[in-house]
Amino acid sequence: MSQCRMIEIQEFSSMTSVHATHTAAAAALSGTAVSSPTTNARGGRTGRSESFIASSSDVGVGRDIARNIYSPVSAGNVGPPGAHRFNRELSQNAELLLNITIKALTNMLAANLEIGLQYSLSIIYHEDTKLRALFTDMFTTILNQGIDIDSLGGDTPDHWKSRLIESLIDPGLKLLLGINEVCQVQDIDELGASLINIFESRHQTKILFERIITVELERTDSASELFRRNCLATRLLSYYAKLHGDGYLKSTLVPAVRKLLAQPPGTLTFELNPNKMTESADRDRNLKNVERLCSLVIDAIVGSVGALPASLRWICNLIYRIVITRFPDAGYTAVGGFVFLRFLCPAIVAPDAHGICSQITNPEVRRGLLLCTKITHNLANDILFGNKETYMVPLNKFISENRGRTLRFL
């Protein structure tokens, strides 16, 4: 008998009862279970039919059927007396006997679903496709019978939620990594917020980020792509930064934005793109306005290093230490990608959306903030403007002059 092909019988053997074999077989073939109310671990009655609970000997008939279905006697495989006759009969009634076996196992599992699922769910991932198909057939039948999984063992919904959370924060983080594989883009934000709250409430944030950053690093082909994808890892980092850095964000950027909005409306012109400038626009003046705005923002950021929350310092240090294990020269770039791209730049381009100021209605101010965000992003990534946006090339001088102090901030 092939051990792999008999795994479904062996798994269910541990949950069969000490009822007589004839009683068990009769209940299985009739599609009913002998009612035997039991007491659960909490001392209450489960109210479920639990015909089969313990002995492997009670499924001897099912074992023999499955053994001969999967391991027919051949010339080199001499079975017990009568095996050849049994196999001749089996060959004539194989489909019927297989259905009987599946039905028997289905009723055994349905009668003891709480224990049965514990030992049988792993079959879904078994390498033998026949076993996976058998289990799927059985489990579908059980669900169609209307089994109330939520009420198993008398456990409350809160108990099941607790067990799910314990599985989620297990040190191996297998469930979390599985979620990371299948999570859809539209669900990332909501899921990320929930995961941060769960792991923080159990003081497991370090384990979460160490694992998720390491996985993201393994999937990245080059240092320039680090934390650029819109995936669970980047959204977790963004939500964590927002959760712990909202106060810092406002205290740092509010003064700079107020100075910007306090300027006379006629002086707030920032457009540098020739295709968007009006005939009366003064490009040199606009360039100076952009540099002045960027200086306000960069001065505020690099001067706030002492106010940066300890939780954000910690995550920056973690990113740096993990990234340099694969890309030794990309540690500061990775930290800059997190601090600027995922945290500061969204607030710079839309300060009103982050509670830094009231609604901005002036399109010129919007344009100035957008250009400032582009420059800040390039500054953090140590990238100069080139052929893609040639009208921004004059600002490369500003980037070069402020590169050193930005690096010291990181």
Side-chain angles (χ1 to χ4, degrees):
M1 174 182 65
S2 169
Q3 184 175 0
C4 288
R5 294 189 179 278
M6 287 303 298
I7 190 170
E8 76 274 38
I9 304 297
Q10 295 169 349
E11 293 286 0
F12 292 120
S13 294
S14 61
M15 12 170 232
T16 57
S17 79
V18 193
H19 290 288
T21 302
H22 293 301
T23 304
L29 294 176
S30 65
T32 62
V34 179
S35 180
S36 176
T38 59
T39 303
N40 63 17
R42 301 181 181 182
R45 309 291 285 184
T46 64
R48 299 196 320 279
S49 173
E50 301 194 12
S51 303
F52 315 105
I53 300 178
S55 173
S56 60
S57 63
D58 293 338
V59 287
V61 175
R63 185 184 294 108
D64 288 340
I65 292 174
R67 177 188 293 117
N68 285 277
I69 288 173
Y70 288 125
S71 303
V73 177
S74 61
N77 181 21
V78 180
H84 287 284
R85 178 177 58 80
F86 185 86
N87 276 276
R88 285 197 302 272
E89 296 175 357
L90 179 65
S91 64
Q92 300 172 1
N93 302 281
E95 184 176 357
L96 174 62
L97 291 173
L98 183 57
N99 289 336
I100 291 173
T101 303
I102 294 174
K103 190 171 185 179
L105 292 170
T106 300
N107 287 324
M108 291 177 188
L109 177 58
N112 301 273
L113 194 57
E114 183 175 359
I115 300 175
L117 289 178
Q118 179 180 353
Y119 290 98
S120 61
L121 278 177
S122 59
I123 300 176
I124 295 177
Y125 304 100
H126 198 278
E127 60 183 10
D128 191 325
T129 55
K130 289 184 179 180
L131 291 183
R132 297 207 299 259
L134 283 173
F135 178 79
T136 303
D137 187 10
M138 289 187 290
F139 193 56
T140 301
T141 301
I142 291 169
L143 292 178
N144 287 335
Q145 292 174 357
I147 299 296
D148 184 6
I149 295 180
D150 291 335
S151 64
L152 293 178
D155 291 325
T156 63
D158 288 340
H159 174 77
W160 285 101
K161 291 177 183 177
S162 177
R163 290 182 62 179
L164 176 60
I165 291 174
E166 292 303 319
S167 299
L168 186 64
I169 64 175
D170 181 80
L173 298 184
K174 293 182 179 179
L175 180 56
L176 174 67
L177 296 179
I179 292 174
N180 185 44
E181 293 290 337
V182 301
C183 184
Q184 300 295 315
V185 174
Q186 64 268 22
D187 300 323
I188 286 179
D189 285 341
E190 183 177 358
L191 177 62
S194 298
L195 289 175
I196 291 294
N197 292 334
I198 290 172
F199 278 84
E200 285 218 318
S201 66
R202 286 158 178 79
H203 308 290
Q204 299 290 326
T205 311
K206 180 180 179 181
I207 296 175
L208 168 65
F209 280 111
E210 282 182 345
R211 194 73 182 95
I212 206 74
I213 292 173
T214 300
V215 170
E216 181 66 14
L217 185 67
E218 292 171 350
R219 293 179 176 179
T220 304
D221 296 327
S222 65
S224 61
E225 298 175 2
L226 280 171
F227 309 118
R228 296 299 189 269
R229 299 187 306 122
N230 189 23
C231 60
L232 182 59
T234 55
R235 297 310 300 166
L236 284 174
L237 288 169
S238 297
Y239 184 80
Y240 183 83
K242 183 179 180 180
L243 182 65
H244 291 277
D246 188 63
Y248 161 80
L249 202 62
K250 292 177 180 177
S251 64
T252 300
L253 295 181
V254 163
V257 174
R258 282 180 178 173
K259 288 181 180 180
L260 169 66
L261 298 179
Q263 298 296 317
T267 63
L268 296 175
T269 55
F270 303 94
E271 187 58 70
L272 299 176
N273 189 341
N275 297 325
K276 296 182 179 180
M277 293 176 61
T278 62
E279 293 182 0
S280 60
D282 187 338
R283 189 173 187 279
D284 291 336
R285 184 184 65 180
N286 291 357
L287 181 62
K288 291 181 180 180
N289 287 342
V290 172
E291 290 178 344
R292 189 178 299 112
L293 173 58
C294 290
S295 295
L296 279 175
V297 172
I298 298 302
D299 288 347
I301 292 173
V302 299
S304 68
V305 64
L308 194 68
S311 54
L312 293 186
R313 292 170 180 263
W314 166 79
I315 198 70
C316 289
N317 179 263
L318 181 66
I319 292 172
Y320 179 84
R321 288 189 290 106
I322 293 177
V323 168
I324 61 174
T325 60
R326 182 175 179 188
F327 302 111
D329 298 327
Y332 288 110
T333 302
V335 173
F338 164 64
V339 173
F340 284 92
L341 177 62
R342 297 292 170 181
F343 181 47
L344 291 171
C345 285
I348 295 172
V349 74
D352 47 349
H354 289 75
I356 295 172
C357 65
S358 57
Q359 182 71 27
I360 296 176
T361 56
N362 189 334
E364 285 288 348
V365 174
R366 286 284 186 196
R367 182 59 178 171
L369 291 171
L370 176 60
L371 295 178
C372 179
T373 301
K374 288 185 176 184
I375 296 167
T376 305
H377 179 268
N378 280 23
L379 185 59
N381 289 281
D382 196 12
I383 299 174
L384 297 177
F385 291 103
N387 295 330
K388 185 177 179 180
E389 293 176 308
T390 55
Y391 61 89
M392 297 290 286
V393 170
L395 289 160
N396 285 342
K397 179 181 178 182
F398 177 88
I399 294 175
S400 299
E401 292 174 347
N402 290 274
R403 180 182 298 163
R405 61 181 188 147
T406 302
L407 186 61
R408 287 192 295 273
F409 168 78
L410 295 174

